[in-house]
Amino acid sequence: MKIPKGLKMGDTIGLVGASSATPPESLQPAIEAVEKLGFNVVVGDSCRERHGYLAGSDELRANDVNRMFQDPSIDGIFSIRGGYGATKILPLLDYEMIKKNPKVFAGYSDVTAMHIAFNQLCDLVTYHTPMPSTEFIKQEMDDYTWSSFIKAVTITEENSYYLSNPTNQEMTTLVSGKATGQLVGGNLTLVAASLGTPYEIDTKGKILFLEDIDEYERSIDRMLTQLQLSGKLEEASGILLGAWTNCGPQNPDRPEHSLRLQTIFEEILVPLKKPVLMDVACGHCLPTMSLPLGRTISFNTETKTIEVVE
């Protein structure tokens, strides 16, 4: 795996909109938030365009991503937001060129589609992080989240370090054990959507991280079952579960007609007899951890520790 050069003060960040359109009122605050971190900013056309719910046409969004990787004056690339649309541009990306121009690429949620493609087709380590027009401009943005983000994108080549939750949020064990492997995954919806495509996630011998937002519990059940039936859960060496924000029953007044997420996890994941660590502070939540996708990690459910290893 190619670990991109860490960012430093004064570097230039390219902002791209590979998914949903950026609300006009959020663009300038997002630019200023990145500038406050000490970076210069180049704004891609996709951050200003709209094609229905998308940030411009598929071709425009893909061209923005390709251009930012190809331009030697751009040091890193931040997805300005998620939403929907990244999967649509995967066939239009120049993976050979991207492989030859490794750079920090950061984002999450819908951006999971691009993380999977870059990890597998470009052998590029990428970063599951909060994004400029969403988390960066929130008043709730906290020191833990900022610190985790900055460390992820600036100290990229650090050989060994721990990924730790905020001090008041403890990880919990679903299945005991230890596991080591390349960290892959992200948003469950996008991971499941990759199946049966040329960009299907490879989990063999890897650590699979999953999180999601605004899904009924039965939808989480369906997607996990899809991963189970496709062999993706069985092939993984271990599983990390992040935040499941607003993922509840369709009929909250009729709890007997639903299953708790905990029950779904127990019924699908426990029989695999693979280590599973839950409540990792990462996903559609604040505080949130930034993750180096593509790096090798080792986790221990007894000590509740996650270590990025050389």
Side-chain angles (χ1 to χ4, degrees):
M1 297 296 292
K2 296 180 180 179
I3 300 176
K5 182 180 179 182
L7 299 173
K8 61 183 185 303
M9 296 279 285
D11 277 352
T12 298
I13 303 301
L15 294 182
V16 297
S19 304
S20 292
T22 302
E25 66 274 15
S26 299
L27 179 57
Q28 189 57 37
I31 295 170
E32 293 173 359
V34 177
E35 290 176 337
K36 286 180 181 179
L37 297 176
F39 301 124
N40 300 312
V41 177
V42 172
V43 180
D45 294 338
S46 55
C47 297
R48 294 189 170 96
E49 293 295 322
R50 176 180 288 277
H51 173 59
Y53 41 77
L54 300 168
S57 68
D58 296 347
E59 291 77 13
L60 180 143
R61 288 179 285 121
N63 287 340
D64 253 8
V65 175
N66 286 331
R67 180 171 63 87
M68 294 298 185
F69 271 103
Q70 193 165 35
D71 187 342
S73 70
I74 302 294
D75 301 294
I77 303 164
F78 294 171
S79 294
I80 193 166
R81 64 159 298 175
Y84 169 73
T87 304
K88 293 169 67 67
I89 71 171
L90 295 183
L92 304 176
L93 298 178
D94 188 343
Y95 296 105
E96 285 302 314
M97 179 275 294
I98 292 170
K99 189 172 184 177
K100 294 175 182 176
N101 295 276
K103 299 177 182 181
V104 165
F105 175 78
Y108 82 113
S109 193
D110 190 61
V111 182
T112 295
M114 298 168 72
H115 285 310
I116 295 171
F118 292 159
N119 291 165
Q120 296 180 182
L121 301 180
C122 304
D123 299 323
L124 178 63
V125 172
T126 59
Y127 300 88
H128 184 288
T129 73
M131 297 176 289
S133 77
T134 50
E135 289 77 20
F136 282 21
I137 62 176
K138 285 186 177 180
Q139 290 184 346
E140 302 93 328
M141 191 67 168
D142 57 281
D143 291 342
Y144 168 90
T145 302
W146 278 124
S147 177
S148 183
F149 172 79
I150 292 298
K151 183 174 182 178
V153 300
T154 62
I155 315 177
T156 57
E157 296 178 292
E158 188 172 8
N159 282 335
S160 180
Y161 62 94
Y162 286 92
L163 297 169
S164 302
N165 267 12
T167 54
N168 62 338
Q169 295 184 32
E170 185 177 359
M171 300 178 195
T172 58
T173 298
L174 182 64
V175 182
S176 298
K178 303 176 183 178
T180 299
Q182 186 186 86
L183 180 62
V184 299
N187 183 263
L188 172 60
T189 298
L190 275 296
V191 170
S194 77
L195 302 185
T197 75
Y199 314 98
E200 180 171 311
I201 191 169
D202 176 8
T203 62
K204 191 172 183 179
K206 300 179 181 181
I207 305 297
L208 178 61
F209 167 74
L210 297 171
E211 62 84 32
D212 219 319
I213 183 173
D214 293 339
E215 295 287 351
Y216 293 135
E217 288 173 327
R218 66 181 184 182
S219 296
I220 301 298
D221 190 343
R222 172 178 50 78
M223 290 185 284
L224 285 177
T225 299
Q226 186 179 10
L227 293 182
Q228 177 191 33
L229 295 176
S230 66
K232 298 302 178 181
L233 300 180
E234 180 63 38
E235 291 176 348
S237 63
I239 297 170
L240 298 176
L241 299 178
W244 302 91
T245 305
N246 296 331
C247 291
Q250 184 173 3
N251 298 306
D253 296 333
R254 304 287 297 276
E256 70 277 10
H257 288 192
S258 184
L259 293 173
R260 296 184 306 122
L261 282 179
Q262 181 70 25
T263 301
I264 294 169
F265 295 150
E266 289 172 355
E267 292 182 351
I268 296 177
L269 301 180
V270 171
L272 298 171
K273 299 180 180 179
K274 296 178 181 292
V276 181
L277 193 58
M278 298 177 56
D279 297 319
V280 178
C282 184
H284 292 75
C285 60
L286 287 174
T288 192
M289 181 190 303
S290 290
L291 299 175
L293 298 172
R295 288 291 298 268
T296 298
I297 70 164
S298 180
F299 74 88
N300 185 328
T301 64
E302 182 177 345
T303 58
K304 297 180 177 63
T305 54
I306 305 171
E307 183 180 10
V308 178
V309 297
E310 186 174 359

